[in-house]
Amino acid sequence: MLSNRAANITPSITLGISAKVKELKNKGVAIIDLSIGEPDFLTPDKVKEEGKAAIDKNLTKYDAASGNIVLRQAICEKLKKENALDYQADQIVVSSGAKHAITNALLATINPGDEVLIPVPYWVSYPEMVSLCGGVPVLVQTKKEAGFKVTLEDITPHLSDRTKMIILTNPSNPTGNVFSKKELQSLCGALVEKNILILADEIYERVIYDEPFTSIPSLSEEIYDKTILINGLSKSASMTGWRLGYSATNKKLAKAMGSIQSHLTSHPSTITQAAAIVALRACDDEINHMIHTYKERRDYIENFFKQWGKLDIIPPKGAFYVFIDISPLRAKLKDESLSLKVCEDMIEKYKVAFIPGIGFGQDDFIRLSYAAAMEDIKEGLVRFKTYVDQVLED
Ligand code: PMP
Ligand code: GLU
């Protein structure tokens, strides 16, 4: 009954754990949820009001398949103002979340058997998305010493005449690390010279703490032409459930992606699109408040690990994740998957939910999401420390 494609697919581990946490909470179990990467802030009031007004204004009919024109113009303004990027509205495709924008991009570029380089650790959905679209995910291990930032040296042994694309996530989910402009310049320059397309997933681009952010297509004309930029409002404006993502590309690709979308789903909800215009044009204060709050949490967590001194973390520079090295526990816990065992113990015995690193291709790590209240983060860390200290002592 099932296609090979469907038979081989595994569900998203992040969404799966989040569903498990919700189920436990519904049963009355008090769980501290540091698992899902979903802002704990409410969608800004202005955005919600605009969504309600859109219904009252009867904005409830079909619109342009690639997205409402005013919204696409607002996206171009944002890209110009915040990222020094020049795009026209016909280079933008507005989709139902960044996931959908990535899928359009893969469907528009990948032929059966084409190889897509995916640096490890990766965001859970990339390998499955590539396979679903007929491509071959080629996993490129990166080095902990380099903060898991992929280098040309990591990539070179994996290049073949089928290499079509690389997926770069900046800031990274799951590590929270961020590439510098210099690193991007040399890496992306070399990739483009080799005629490799860059899928630049910059969905966490607003959530950055220490250094200015560089958007990949801003690096040079050649890089601009070969980059598919992905962004959205799920993270920056706390709009995960509204489903609003977008791509910015050269015109030829945008046309192809728009045609694909026109047959598969058409544009996202008109109500979401109306609200998104306000999120892009009038929510700087709300967004800056969220980023400021994430930064305070980041600083607290970094300090906690420094004082404790038993486990390393990748110093987080952006997004709202901390990637924790649990390899010192391997000598004590002999389970096949270390990260699954630790996450299972934490949820069962200590009622704290993390995401196992195995979901990101890195079993010696777990991911903590600090898109959660400070008191939950503090208590979750105390319980985690109790667990780890006990395992190490046994
Ligand atoms: N890319 C990355 C790196 C993510 O972490 C996520 C998770 N939300 C997405 C894309 C998908 O975002 P959206 O909710 O807009 O589909
Ligand atoms: N991207 C978020 C995460 O990594 C949300 C879940 C998902 O879409 O996979 O937790």
Side-chain angles (χ1 to χ4, degrees):
M1 183 194 194
L2 293 180
S3 65
N4 292 343
R5 187 187 297 125
N8 293 325
I9 191 107
T10 52
S12 159
I13 192 166
T14 42
L15 296 184
I17 289 176
S18 169
K20 185 174 174 179
V21 169
K22 281 193 182 116
E23 195 186 305
L24 287 167
K25 278 186 176 167
N26 285 342
K27 284 186 189 154
V29 184
I31 296 279
I32 294 179
D33 188 7
L34 306 179
S35 67
I36 189 85
E38 174 165 53
D40 55 313
F41 298 96
L42 299 176
T43 300
D45 283 342
K46 281 179 214 156
V47 176
K48 293 195 287 194
E49 289 309 323
E50 196 64 22
K52 291 179 210 166
I55 297 174
D56 291 337
K57 283 190 240 166
N58 293 309
L59 295 179
T60 55
K61 301 289 172 95
Y62 287 138
D63 200 337
S66 291
N68 175 268
I69 183 67
V70 181
L71 173 55
R72 282 187 281 148
Q73 281 158 353
I75 291 168
C76 294
E77 286 161 22
K78 175 260 179 284
L79 293 174
K80 178 77 187 161
K81 190 171 118 208
E82 294 173 15
N83 308 110
L85 291 168
D86 280 309
Y87 286 101
Q88 308 292 319
D90 60 355
Q91 295 178 271
I92 308 294
V93 179
V94 182
S95 302
S96 300
K99 276 184 179 167
H100 184 205
I102 297 168
T103 311
N104 283 339
L106 294 170
L107 288 173
T109 54
I110 301 302
N111 284 315
D114 280 352
E115 294 175 0
V116 178
L117 303 168
I118 304 178
V120 181
Y122 47 78
W123 174 50
V124 282
S125 293
Y126 296 142
E128 296 291 12
M129 286 170 144
V130 168
S131 302
L132 279 172
C133 295
V136 179
V138 174
L139 304 182
V140 177
Q141 184 59 53
T142 62
K143 295 183 197 69
K144 181 189 160 191
E145 310 81 75
F148 290 122
K149 286 193 269 188
V150 71
T151 61
L152 199 58
E153 198 191 357
D154 300 325
I155 291 169
T156 305
H158 298 278
L159 295 176
S160 82
D161 53 6
R162 296 306 307 258
T163 308
K164 183 78 183 269
M165 178 188 272
I166 184 163
I167 302 183
L168 295 178
T169 323
N170 192 35
S172 160
N173 177 5
T175 70
N177 217 340
V178 178
F179 285 96
S180 69
K181 182 169 185 177
K182 208 167 143 213
E183 287 165 337
L184 284 176
Q185 219 137 23
S186 68
L187 176 65
C188 298
L191 289 166
V192 162
E193 241 173 60
K194 295 179 196 305
N195 209 20
I196 296 171
L197 293 173
I198 301 171
L199 190 145
D201 185 344
E202 298 185 353
I203 192 157
Y204 295 99
E205 145 260 359
R206 288 291 299 260
V207 190
I208 189 147
Y209 308 120
D210 302 320
E211 280 161 37
F213 175 77
T214 304
S215 178
I216 288 178
S218 73
L219 291 166
S220 73
E221 247 176 67
E222 294 73 27
I223 294 172
Y224 175 99
D225 196 52
K226 288 214 154 37
T227 298
I228 301 172
L229 175 68
I230 303 290
N231 206 330
L233 297 179
S234 286
K235 315 292 169 173
S236 56
S238 194
M239 290 179 70
T240 45
W242 295 74
R243 312 306 303 134
L244 201 291
Y246 58 88
S247 56
T249 61
N250 65 44
K251 291 191 183 189
K252 193 173 167 191
L253 257 177
K255 194 167 174 220
M257 289 166 69
S259 300
I260 289 168
Q261 174 161 299
S262 75
H263 289 295
L264 292 183
T265 59
S266 207
H267 56 81
S269 147
T270 46
I271 296 149
T272 290
Q273 292 192 84
I277 296 169
V278 171
L280 285 163
R281 286 188 172 155
C283 286
D284 269 358
D285 288 350
E286 291 86 342
I287 292 172
N288 288 336
H289 167 71
M290 295 184 212
I291 296 162
H292 179 77
T293 312
Y294 292 137
K295 185 174 183 302
E296 282 176 354
R297 297 171 186 171
R298 188 279 308 253
D299 292 347
Y300 178 86
I301 297 168
E302 219 174 9
N303 201 32
F304 179 94
F305 277 94
K306 215 175 273 167
Q307 292 196 343
W308 179 19
K310 287 224 178 108
L311 298 183
D312 284 347
I313 58 170
I314 303 299
K317 307 280 180 204
F320 31 63
Y321 304 115
V322 182
F323 213 39
I324 307 167
D325 184 352
I326 52 166
S327 58
L329 305 185
R330 201 170 271 290
K332 303 284 183 172
L333 303 171
K334 307 289 183 198
D335 297 64
E336 202 180 317
S337 165
L338 178 66
S339 64
L340 275 177
K341 166 73 177 154
V342 168
C343 288
E344 249 166 48
D345 281 351
M346 282 309 301
I347 204 163
E348 300 295 334
K349 300 179 191 159
Y350 291 85
K351 308 288 178 253
V352 185
F354 299 106
I355 302 285
I358 197 167
F360 310 105
Q362 204 71 49
D363 194 34
D364 276 352
F365 282 73
I366 60 169
R367 189 192 78 178
L368 177 159
S369 163
Y370 52 92
M374 191 64 143
E375 54 286 13
D376 281 356
I377 295 169
K378 286 183 178 173
E379 179 59 24
L381 284 173
V382 167
R383 292 188 202 177
F384 180 58
K385 180 176 179 299
T386 309
Y387 167 73
V388 171
D389 285 341
Q390 200 172 353
V391 171
L392 290 177
E393 265 164 34
D394 275 352

